[in-house]
Amino acid sequence: MTAYLRRLKTKLQSKSISRHENFQYVDPCLNSLDLVNKKQSITHSQWAHIILGSIIMGTILGYGQYYPVLNQMRYIFAMGLAIIVVGIFKAFQLSDRWHSLSKLMVLVFVLVGLSYCQTDLRIIHFNSYTSYYLQQEGEYLCTVVAAPETVNLNGQEYYKYIIEIHGLHPYKNTAKNDYIKAQGRLQVYSKISTTNYPIRLGEYAIVEGTPKPLFLIEEEGRINLRGRYMSSNTRGRIYDGIYRVANNKDLQAFHYKETYFEKLYRKGLLIAGVLRESIDKNIGHNLEGPQKVLAQALALGGHYSELGEDQMKAFSYTGLIHILSISGSHIALLLALVYGLGRFIKLKKRTCLILGIIVACIYCGIVGGDAPVLRATMMSILMCIAYIKGRLYQAKQALCICAILCVIYDPFSLFDVSFQLSFGATYGLLIWGTVLYERIQWLPRWIKTPLVLCVSAQLLIMPLQLYYFHYISIASLLAACIVAPLLDISIVLIFVSTLVSYVLPISLMWSLVDVLLRISLYLNHVLGRSGSLLWLGIMHPYCAYIYYVLLGLFTYFLTHRKRYTVHIVISLSLMILTFGASYYVTHHHQYTLVHYIPMKQCNVLLCIEPNHEGAHLLIDAPDHIKTAPNERLINQAIRAYGVHPKSVKVAYFHSNGSAKVVYKNSMNQIVVYNGQSREKKLKLNDKTNSLYITSRSSVMTEIGRISPTSTVLFGSPHGALRDVDPSSEHMYIMGYSYIEDIYL
C-alpha cells in the first residue's frame, strides 16, 4: 500500500508540474508573479496550526478560571503560544505583512475568546446539574455504555463497567413508590461471584447500590481525570452493585420512553457489543494464559488488570504501553491488511480504499471512541478520501484538522493524557520521522526504522512523559527495535486468524501467534527491568520551555542543508542538558518542601528536606488506627519529586490528637495543634517557620492570632467542615481541593 501511495503521489506531482509548464508557456510573466504570490502567503497548513494554537490557549484559560492549571497544561499552553508566534513571524516575512498580520491577530483573538467561552459554558453546564442521587441507595434504571472489564479489588474479582442512568427508585420510607428521573453516568463494580446476568453493552439494566461521589483532587505528577469525567458526564461510582437485566415492567415502572436517536445509539452499542464479545471469545478459545490476555488487549484494547501488574510495569518501562491501547498503529495495520487482501482478490484500488474506510469506522465502533482511535480513524478517512479524489495528502494539515475537530466537539479532551500523548507522538513522527531517516544513512534499515520511530515520537512529548511517568527508559530503543516489530506482526496475525476462524479454524496460525506472543512477553520482561530506567521526576517548567526552544532550533538545523551538522549536534546536546539542569534544580533548594498527596483513605504529607537530603512521609491516622494508604499513588508522588522510595522515612500522626511536633529541623517544624495547650504554654520560636495541622475549626482563630503568617492545614477526620472559612490565604482544607506545595 505504501508503494502504491508513493507512486500515486509522484504521478500527481508530475501532472502538477506539467500543468505549470504549460501555463508558463502561455504567459511566463503572469506565472512567475503567481508563484511569487503563492510563496509569499500563509499556507493552509499554517492557518490550521494557528487555529489549533488559538483554541488551545482559549480552552486552557477558560478551564483555569475554575480549576488549577498544573505544569502539564503550562507545557501545552506554551506549545500553543509558540505556534502563534511562529505564525506572526511568518506574517512579518510577507510583502503585505501588515494586512496578513492584522488578519492573523483578529483570528487569534476571536478564536481564543470563542474557545474560552465554550469551555466556560461547558463547565457551568456540568456543574449546574446537582447529582442529588449520590449517597442514595436504590435501584437505578440504566443503559450499559462501556463493555465490562475484569478487575481485582482487595483480592476479589469484579466486573467494571459504565452505565448511563435514566431513573432512580430510592430505598427510603418517604419514597417507596417514587420513580425519579436522573441523568449522568456512573462507574459500577459488580462482584463476579454474585452477578447472575451477563453484562452486555447497550442493554437496559437495573443496578442496585449506593453511588459514591468521585474523589477528584488535582496533584502535580498525577494523571488528571477531572476533564475525562466532565467530558463523559460521569458523576460517581457504585461499589458492590447488583446487576440484573431490565424488563418491560421495569421500563413502565420508571416511566421511561427512549427517543429515536437514543434507540439508534443503543442499537449501535448492542451491535458493537456483540461483535466485541464474539471476537473476545474467539481469541480466548484459541489461546491460553498471558498470551490470551495479551492478544485480547492487542486486538480490542483493555484487559489491563488481567494482564497482571508485573507485565503492565514491564510494558510501561519499555515504552510499549501504548501498543496495548488501540491507536494509530492498529488502524494503519488494519487498513494495510484490508487493502492488501482487496488487491489480492483483484479489487480496484478505489474500492479497496472505500472498504478500508468502512472497516476502520466499524473497528472504531467496536473498540470504543477514545482519543487515539478517533484521531487515527479520522486521519485514515482523510487520507483515503484524498487519494480517492486524486489529491495530495498533507498529513500535518490533516492531523491539525482532526485535533481542531476533537477540541471543538469536546474541549475537555485537551486535558486527557491519551489525547496529549497520541497527538503529540503522531505530530513528532510527521515532523522528524522522514528527515531523521534520511540523515541516518549508516545504520541498517531494520535498526534505523524502529529507532527513528521511537526517537521522533518522543521528542515533542518528552516533558509530558516525565510529568506522567517520571522516568526515561533506556531499554525503550531496544524494545522498539526488537519487541515492537514482533507485536506488530502479532496484531496482523490476530486479525487474520480471527477472521479465518469464523470460516475455517486453522490451529497452525494460532500456534504461530502463541509463539510470537510468548517471545514478546519474555523479551519485554527482560528489557523492562527497573534497572534500565532513569528516574528524573517532573521536569521544571522553565527547563521545559528552554527544551522546546532548543527543539525548535534543532528542527530548523535538521531540515536545512547538511552544513548545519555541527549545529544539530550542539542543539541536541543542549536539549539533553536541559534534563540534567531540571534534575539539578529539583534537587537543590534551600527550603523544606511539603507536598500534600490527596488520597481517599487518609491525609498524607511528603516532607522533603533542603537539597533533598532526606524525605519523610507523614500519614494522618486520625482515629489512632494505622490506615493502609494506596502504596502505588504514594510511590508515584515520591518519584515525581525525584526521591527514591527506599530513602523515605514513614511516620504516623493524628490530626485530631494532642499537641505534637511531627517534623522538625533547625529552621522549620510541622506541629499538630488542637488547642489543648494554652497560648502562654504553646512553645513558639520566632526563628522557626511553623506549619500547623488541626482538626478543630475553633482553633483556626487562635492560630491566626498567635502566628498570622503561618500556613494551616485543616484535616477533618469525619468530613465535618462546620464553620470553616476557606477564604484565608494561609489556610487549606485537606481532602477537598488542590493544595500547592508549601515551602518552609
Side-chain angles (χ1 to χ4, degrees):
M1 182 176 181
T2 306
Y4 163 71
L5 296 180
R6 192 181 297 112
R7 291 196 301 270
L8 180 59
K9 179 178 179 180
T10 305
K11 182 179 179 181
L12 291 173
Q13 287 176 339
S14 62
K15 288 183 179 180
S16 177
I17 293 172
S18 64
R19 283 197 296 267
H20 281 299
E21 290 176 350
N22 294 334
F23 187 69
Q24 186 177 4
Y25 177 76
V26 175
D27 195 343
C29 296
L30 182 62
N31 187 43
S32 60
L33 180 62
D34 182 63
L35 289 175
V36 170
N37 290 334
K38 285 186 177 180
K39 183 178 180 180
Q40 296 184 347
S41 62
I42 299 178
T43 64
H44 291 90
S45 180
Q46 291 169 352
W47 280 118
H49 282 74
I50 293 169
I51 292 171
L52 178 60
S54 304
I55 294 175
I56 287 173
M57 292 178 62
T59 302
I60 295 176
L61 290 174
Y63 182 86
Q65 294 297 313
Y66 297 90
Y67 306 109
V69 176
L70 304 183
N71 283 339
Q72 87 279 25
M73 295 303 357
R74 294 187 177 94
Y75 302 157
I76 299 174
F77 187 88
M79 293 181 195
L81 183 62
I83 291 172
I84 296 174
V85 170
V86 171
I88 294 173
F89 180 75
K90 293 284 185 182
F92 269 113
Q93 294 179 329
L94 305 180
S95 56
D96 56 341
R97 60 174 62 90
W98 298 115
H99 177 67
S100 299
L101 187 62
S102 61
K103 289 196 301 182
L104 188 149
M105 296 307 297
V106 169
L107 178 66
V108 168
F109 282 114
V110 169
L111 289 176
V112 169
L114 289 176
S115 56
Y116 177 91
C117 293
Q118 184 195 17
T119 307
D120 183 79
L121 290 174
R122 289 288 297 272
I123 293 175
I124 292 175
H125 176 72
F126 178 83
N127 293 327
S128 62
Y129 181 79
T130 303
S131 305
Y132 61 88
Y133 47 79
L134 295 178
Q135 304 290 0
Q136 176 58 58
E137 185 182 6
E139 290 183 341
Y140 291 83
L141 175 67
C142 60
T143 302
V144 181
V145 295
E149 180 183 351
T150 304
V151 298
N152 188 291
L153 294 178
N154 299 323
Q156 290 189 349
E157 297 291 328
Y158 285 81
Y159 288 123
K160 176 186 175 183
Y161 53 99
I162 299 175
I163 60 173
E164 180 84 32
I165 59 176
H166 308 299
L168 161 65
H169 179 208
Y171 287 170
K172 58 183 181 180
N173 295 329
T174 57
K176 285 184 177 181
N177 297 318
D178 289 346
Y179 293 88
I180 308 168
K181 291 185 178 180
Q183 64 181 21
R185 292 187 176 185
L186 298 173
Q187 287 184 352
V188 184
Y189 294 83
S190 298
K191 289 183 181 179
I192 295 179
S193 58
T194 59
T195 302
N196 300 321
Y197 296 86
I199 303 173
R200 292 191 174 92
L201 185 65
E203 71 178 0
Y204 287 126
I206 299 292
V207 175
E208 181 183 352
T210 305
K212 303 293 183 181
L214 297 171
F215 187 76
L216 290 177
I217 300 177
E218 288 82 356
E219 183 193 8
E220 291 284 11
R222 184 185 297 183
I223 294 176
N224 181 17
L225 298 177
R226 185 185 295 276
R228 184 177 298 181
Y229 291 147
M230 294 176 69
S231 175
S232 60
N233 198 25
T234 302
R235 302 284 177 166
R237 294 187 179 95
I238 295 179
Y239 294 98
D240 294 328
I242 300 175
Y243 179 94
R244 67 177 176 87
V245 179
N247 51 38
N248 291 330
K249 290 183 178 180
D250 294 319
L251 297 177
Q252 292 174 2
F254 279 90
H255 307 288
Y256 175 71
K257 293 182 179 180
E258 64 179 352
T259 63
Y260 174 76
F261 292 104
E262 289 175 342
K263 184 177 181 180
L264 192 64
Y265 173 68
R266 193 173 63 85
K267 292 294 184 183
L269 288 177
L270 283 169
I271 295 172
V274 170
L275 292 175
R276 182 185 180 93
E277 186 177 357
S278 176
I279 296 172
D280 209 35
K281 287 183 178 179
N282 194 340
I283 296 174
H285 179 72
N286 291 281
L287 294 174
E288 295 180 352
Q291 299 81 251
K292 179 194 75 173
V293 180
L294 179 58
Q296 291 170 336
L298 292 175
L300 300 171
H303 299 277
Y304 304 132
S305 59
E306 299 176 49
L307 196 57
E309 186 177 355
D310 293 337
Q311 290 292 349
M312 288 299 298
K313 281 185 178 180
F315 275 103
S316 179
Y317 291 164
T318 56
L320 297 178
I321 189 70
H322 65 88
I323 209 166
L324 299 181
S325 59
I326 308 303
S327 58
S329 59
H330 293 74
I331 303 295
L333 291 171
L334 186 62
L335 280 176
L337 180 61
V338 172
Y339 183 85
L341 292 176
R343 295 298 295 162
F344 180 76
I345 60 176
K346 306 299 182 182
L347 291 178
K348 294 182 179 179
K349 298 174 182 178
R350 178 189 180 93
T351 305
C352 294
L353 293 175
I354 294 174
L355 285 175
I357 294 176
I358 296 173
V359 172
C361 293
I362 295 174
Y363 185 67
C364 179
I366 293 174
V367 300
D370 292 335
V373 185
L374 287 177
R375 187 263 310 160
T377 305
M378 291 170 66
M379 288 192 68
S380 64
I381 291 173
L382 291 175
M383 182 191 70
C384 293
I385 291 176
Y387 289 117
I388 289 172
K389 294 292 185 180
R391 298 182 181 180
L392 292 177
Y393 172 71
Q394 298 292 336
K396 285 190 288 187
Q397 183 176 338
L399 183 64
C400 280
I401 293 173
C402 295
I404 290 170
L405 293 176
C406 289
V407 179
I408 289 177
Y409 176 74
D410 179 17
F412 302 124
S413 62
L414 182 65
F415 308 98
D416 190 80
V417 59
S418 298
F419 180 92
Q420 297 167 9
L421 298 183
S422 175
F423 277 87
T426 306
Y427 196 75
L429 288 172
L430 297 177
I431 295 177
W432 298 289
T434 304
V435 65
L436 280 177
Y437 189 86
E438 293 174 351
R439 287 276 186 171
I440 307 176
Q441 298 293 340
W442 44 276
L443 284 177
R445 181 178 298 180
W446 66 275
I447 295 179
K448 181 166 59 175
T449 301
L451 179 65
V452 168
L453 289 175
C454 179
V455 172
S456 57
Q458 293 186 7
L459 280 176
L460 188 63
I461 61 174
M462 185 59 73
L464 289 173
Q465 284 187 318
L466 285 178
Y467 180 87
Y468 290 119
F469 308 114
H470 323 311
Y471 60 81
I472 295 177
S473 176
I474 302 174
S476 60
L477 296 178
L478 287 175
C481 296
I482 301 173
V483 183
L486 293 177
L487 292 176
D488 288 339
I489 296 172
S490 301
I491 292 172
V492 175
L493 288 177
I494 291 169
F495 287 154
V496 175
S497 302
T498 304
L499 291 174
V500 173
S501 296
Y502 287 108
V503 181
L504 181 64
I506 302 177
S507 59
L508 181 62
M509 296 181 66
W510 286 110
S511 299
L512 181 59
V513 171
D514 184 78
V515 171
L516 287 175
L517 293 179
R518 285 177 183 271
I519 296 174
S520 301
L521 286 171
Y522 175 74
L523 293 176
N524 189 72
H525 177 73
V526 172
L527 295 174
R529 294 175 180 174
S530 58
S532 63
L533 306 177
L534 292 177
W535 294 92
L536 300 179
I538 302 174
M539 195 171 186
H540 194 276
Y542 292 109
C543 294
Y545 303 151
I546 296 172
Y547 171 81
Y548 282 123
V549 172
L550 294 172
L551 184 61
L553 293 175
F554 171 77
T555 306
Y556 175 80
F557 296 137
L558 190 67
T559 53
H560 284 69
R561 298 177 183 176
K562 292 187 177 181
R563 63 189 179 92
Y564 288 118
T565 304
V566 177
H567 299 77
I568 293 172
V569 175
I570 293 174
S571 58
L572 185 61
S573 302
L574 292 176
M575 286 164 56
I576 297 173
L577 285 177
T578 55
F579 297 108
S582 175
Y583 185 82
Y584 178 84
V585 172
T586 301
H587 285 73
H588 290 78
H589 49 91
Q590 58 180 342
Y591 301 104
T592 300
L593 185 149
V594 180
H595 170 70
Y596 170 66
I597 306 175
M599 304 188 71
K600 275 187 178 181
Q601 300 92 334
C602 55
N603 295 314
V604 180
L605 297 176
L606 175 63
C607 184
I608 304 176
E609 295 181 358
N611 297 322
H612 271 52
E613 294 177 354
H616 303 265
L617 195 69
L618 307 178
I619 301 175
D620 179 15
D623 294 321
H624 298 267
I625 299 174
K626 286 193 175 183
T627 56
N630 191 316
E631 185 178 349
R632 180 182 61 85
L633 295 180
I634 288 180
N635 284 335
Q636 186 180 23
I638 292 172
R639 288 292 195 183
Y641 282 80
V643 179
H644 197 285
K646 293 183 178 180
S647 63
V648 178
K649 299 178 181 179
V650 181
Y652 286 82
F653 70 97
H654 313 295
S655 60
N656 59 345
S658 58
K660 180 182 179 182
V661 177
V662 295
Y663 168 79
K664 186 176 183 179
N665 59 21
S666 59
M667 296 297 294
N668 311 293
Q669 65 178 2
I670 300 176
V671 182
V672 174
Y673 180 63
N674 287 306
Q676 295 88 343
S677 303
R678 296 299 179 185
E679 180 179 341
K680 61 181 180 180
K681 294 183 179 179
L682 187 62
K683 296 180 180 179
L684 297 174
N685 187 349
D686 294 336
K687 296 182 180 180
T688 303
N689 296 321
S690 298
L691 169 65
Y692 292 95
I693 301 175
T694 183
S695 63
R696 298 182 184 180
S697 57
S698 59
V699 179
M700 302 298 298
T701 304
E702 181 182 350
I703 295 177
R705 184 176 64 256
I706 296 173
S707 183
T709 59
S710 296
T711 303
V712 181
L713 298 179
F714 181 83
S716 178
H718 302 292
L721 297 180
R722 298 185 180 92
D723 56 345
V724 177
D725 181 15
S727 60
S728 175
E729 61 177 337
H730 298 295
M731 196 272 287
Y732 301 95
I733 303 175
M734 294 188 290
Y736 287 87
S737 61
Y738 168 71
I739 299 178
E740 295 183 357
D741 291 339
I742 302 166
Y743 289 91
L744 297 177

